[in-house]
Amino acid sequence: MFFIANWKMFGDLRTLNSLDNVIKFSKTNKNKFKLIYCPPNTLIRPMSKRLKNSNLEVGAQNCHENDDYGAFTGQVNSRMLKNVGAKYVILGHSENRKAGENDNLINLKIKSAIKVDLKVIFCVGETLKEKKNKKTTQVLKKQIEKGLQSIKNKSKIIIAYEPVWSIGTGLIPKSEDLIKSVLFIRSRFGRKSPKILYGGSVNSDNINQLKNIKSIDGFLIGGASQDPKKIIDIIKKTYI
Ligand code: PGA
């Protein structure tokens, strides 16, 4: 199972001390899980040093669409992220879509990440309005088709299904709706389906319900991932 810890715009150098317990836990735990921390860019380098010799990995939360260097004030590209130790990058997150990223831009970003050999955690998901209007599958289809347009080799792609209305709200989809969406996403890929994760308000209470959905390959965790106790608890409960 995959667990992606999305720290969003939280964390400083001191916060890295909280990783020690998680490293210890991962070493003593026999369950094979992949835990990938995606901190703000400022922490990628110090975090990857800290996680050296552990089985935890580091990713970033976004990148510029141009993988080459250039005059783009305030931007960071996939090549730079790779250079400081990132192995993954989250792209298409709804918080960035809301800030103006469209499917075409996300497609370029995904291509730039693949070009430098970063694995991509590609976020898709419907808003509450789209859900109410029964547009979920239509939205997922469009986001996947446009986001992955003309990308032949999808071996570097992991999909994170994150209903926008469940992010940071404490709400999660009904199991039957979640299964339906995950299976729909899978059906878009034929035999070579990528890993499909669920994200949105995952916590140590609702993990008991979520882990029973066998079509899910892991979780993208925001708020709860900044607390080492909570992330350890979520992982433990996934395997009980
Ligand atoms: P949340 O965030 O777990 O705080 O809902 C998930 C995400 O935005 O990736």
Side-chain angles (χ1 to χ4, degrees):
M1 294 286 267
F2 280 84
F3 298 86
I4 316 287
N6 176 11
W7 275 13
K8 310 195 178 190
M9 200 170 74
F10 292 96
D12 55 24
L13 288 170
R14 255 189 318 167
T15 324
L16 297 182
N17 296 332
S18 72
L19 295 174
D20 291 349
N21 283 338
V22 187
I23 295 173
K24 231 186 271 165
F25 165 73
S26 78
K27 282 186 176 157
T28 55
N29 196 290
K30 21 178 212 324
N31 291 310
K32 279 216 176 79
F33 61 88
K34 257 187 172 305
L35 175 54
I36 298 135
Y37 273 93
C38 299
N41 288 347
T42 48
L43 294 179
I44 291 178
R45 184 65 177 164
M47 190 185 267
S48 47
K49 280 189 180 162
R50 192 111 180 188
L51 297 183
K52 219 173 159 194
N53 304 322
S54 82
N55 33 20
L56 313 188
E57 291 180 294
V58 184
Q61 298 173 16
N62 203 354
C63 70
H64 192 264
E65 64 274 23
N66 191 335
D67 69 283
D68 206 349
Y69 303 106
F72 299 103
T73 303
Q75 301 294 328
V76 171
N77 69 21
S78 51
R79 194 175 297 272
M80 293 160 159
L81 296 172
K82 171 112 180 164
N83 182 251
V84 290
K87 300 237 163 56
Y88 294 77
V89 59
I90 297 172
L91 292 171
H93 193 283
S94 67
E95 284 153 13
N96 295 324
R97 289 183 190 262
K98 203 173 159 200
E101 289 193 7
N102 62 24
D103 293 315
N104 293 342
L105 181 67
I106 294 163
N107 174 252
L108 295 175
K109 291 185 176 209
I110 294 177
K111 286 176 180 161
S112 82
I114 292 176
K115 200 162 164 193
V116 300
D117 223 15
L118 286 178
K119 294 193 185 97
V120 175
I121 300 148
F122 171 37
C123 302
V124 294
E126 81 286 0
T127 62
L128 189 57
K129 191 169 168 213
E130 289 161 342
K131 178 184 160 60
K132 282 187 176 155
N133 291 335
K134 305 210 176 335
K135 293 260 161 62
T136 300
T137 49
Q138 199 178 314
V139 168
L140 295 175
K141 180 172 184 281
K142 176 181 145 286
Q143 289 176 338
I144 293 168
E145 272 173 15
K146 294 200 164 182
L148 299 180
Q149 196 162 34
S150 69
I151 298 174
K152 286 211 181 64
N153 181 357
K154 299 187 182 63
S155 63
K156 295 253 171 328
I157 308 282
I158 295 167
I159 307 275
Y161 170 54
E162 297 206 302
V164 180
W165 53 271
S166 77
I167 295 174
T169 58
L171 302 171
I172 59 167
K174 285 190 202 133
S175 295
E176 70 225 56
D177 291 344
L178 183 46
I179 293 169
K180 206 172 137 210
S181 296
V182 171
L183 291 182
F184 175 77
I185 294 170
R186 226 178 261 297
S187 74
R188 308 307 302 161
F189 291 92
R191 266 193 301 153
K192 277 194 185 160
S193 173
K195 300 282 183 208
I196 302 175
L197 319 181
Y198 167 75
S201 294
V202 176
N203 62 37
S204 42
D205 294 325
N206 60 29
I207 192 67
N208 289 320
Q209 178 191 333
L210 292 168
K211 73 172 185 193
N212 287 325
I213 301 175
K214 299 295 172 225
S215 45
I216 293 176
D217 299 306
F219 303 97
L220 175 45
I221 307 162
S225 75
Q226 292 146 37
D227 180 336
K229 276 204 209 94
K230 287 184 184 164
I231 195 106
I232 291 173
D233 213 25
I234 290 172
I235 296 174
K236 274 186 183 164
K237 284 185 175 168
T238 303
Y239 289 100
I240 292 173

